[in-house]
Amino acid sequence: MRLPSSPHFTLVEAGPGVYAALAGDTGACISNAAIVDLGDRTLIFDTFQTVTAATDLREAAMQVTGRSAALSLISHWHPDHTGGAQVFDDAPIMATARTCELIAGEDPGELDAYEAEIDGWLDQIRELREAATNDTEIERAESNLKVASLLKEEAPGLRFTVPAPIDGDGMTFEGSDRRVEVVSYGLGHTESDLFAHVPDANLVILGDLLWVGHHPRVNDGDAIAWALVLDRIDGLGAASLIPGHGQIGARADGEYLAGYLRNVADIVD
């Protein structure tokens, strides 16, 4: 089967009936998402940052599974994973209880205030672009400018979406062809992250618990706790790991990141 295409992400079959949507460089998404075919239902893992990218993700799910999402999972509260949730709000959207609280705390309230906040961000980015002194700074500013400009364009139609909590620290979702185990080990990349284990496909969808070829964002979590979470996930023995950022990885990538986090914590100590 020829996989559907989007200018905003590349769809890759990471395992039988499991598709990773790997972020491109248009600014519509900066993190990855995933589609899981359960046989009689479709599961979406993370919803990108924008309605534009999420709309393409919904269409891709329709093309590869023949149906839209029966359930969407949000790995953690960061907006690059939650901003497109309104595209899937005709079916349940779920996250851990703490993630639901953190997302609710991000509610922009009045749209005028939200647009004003984006305008301020745009002004800041333009100033940074003018002050840039090397290619890396220029590239970062231009990338952020793409993201902020698209968020500004979409702001009038924003429907802020808060997920419902999963039961406790994990749930199992059964389909006609497979089950997906949704698990949270608590503190890691953020105060509360969940991941999806697809045993029959021998893979795990990790959200931002794994970064491949990108430096991880650590400031909302705990490096040592995060490394311990990665150790526990490694114990599942999955061969393929779909990260929140970067290309599809393997167990060695999780082990590498865990070691890096420990090294950084040692340096800080």
Side-chain angles (χ1 to χ4, degrees):
M1 177 180 63
R2 183 176 179 179
L3 296 180
S5 62
S6 165
H8 309 302
F9 59 83
T10 300
L11 202 66
V12 177
E13 189 166 16
V18 182
Y19 305 89
L22 305 177
D25 61 2
T26 66
C29 51
I30 59 174
S31 61
N32 300 332
I35 301 165
V36 184
D37 188 351
L38 301 181
D40 56 348
R41 293 189 295 166
T42 299
L43 183 151
I44 299 293
F45 189 97
D46 282 338
T47 61
F48 290 138
Q49 180 156 321
T50 65
V51 170
T52 298
T55 299
D56 280 7
L57 183 66
R58 183 182 178 111
E59 178 59 28
M62 287 289 298
Q63 292 186 45
V64 298
T65 72
R67 65 190 87 82
S68 186
L71 171 71
S72 298
L73 297 170
I74 302 295
S75 61
H76 64 290
W77 69 269
H78 288 160
D80 56 319
H81 298 258
T82 67
Q86 70 184 65
V87 172
F88 299 97
D89 66 3
D90 57 343
I93 303 172
M94 304 187 78
T96 69
R98 181 55 181 151
T99 293
C100 294
E101 293 173 352
L102 290 165
I103 291 174
E106 293 293 298
D107 188 342
E110 295 294 329
L111 288 180
D112 288 345
Y114 175 60
E115 291 191 61
E117 182 180 342
I118 297 174
D119 286 337
W121 187 31
L122 282 164
D123 289 341
Q124 183 184 42
I125 295 168
R126 293 185 184 109
E127 290 175 4
L128 290 170
R129 174 65 178 82
E130 290 299 317
T133 58
N134 58 61
D135 289 345
T136 299
E137 292 176 353
I138 292 170
E139 182 180 349
R140 183 182 300 119
E142 291 181 346
S143 177
N144 284 336
L145 191 60
K146 289 179 184 178
V147 176
S149 298
L150 190 49
L151 290 175
K152 169 73 173 178
E153 181 182 320
E154 293 185 351
L158 176 70
R159 295 198 311 273
F160 189 72
T161 306
V162 179
I166 64 170
D167 292 338
D169 295 329
M171 297 178 69
T172 298
F173 296 95
E174 297 278 357
S176 61
D177 292 350
R178 61 156 44 108
R179 74 179 192 278
V180 174
E181 298 164 354
V182 177
V183 184
S184 174
Y185 291 153
L187 177 64
H189 169 64
T190 66
E191 291 181 42
S192 183
D193 302 86
L194 62 74
F195 63 89
H197 180 210
V198 189
D200 73 287
N202 199 23
L203 65 77
V204 181
I205 310 168
L206 288 167
D208 280 5
L209 287 169
L210 181 65
W211 300 55
V212 176
H214 294 256
H215 192 275
R217 175 178 171 178
V218 189
N219 54 304
D220 288 322
D222 179 277
I224 293 299
W226 188 348
L228 291 170
V229 166
L230 288 170
D231 290 345
R232 293 180 68 184
I233 292 172
D234 184 62
L236 297 173
S240 297
L241 309 178
I242 300 177
H245 296 264
Q247 299 298 308
I248 296 171
R251 292 180 68 179
D253 294 291
E255 293 166 357
Y256 180 87
L257 180 55
Y260 176 76
L261 291 167
R262 289 189 170 95
N263 285 339
V264 169
D266 286 344
I267 292 167
V268 172
D269 285 343

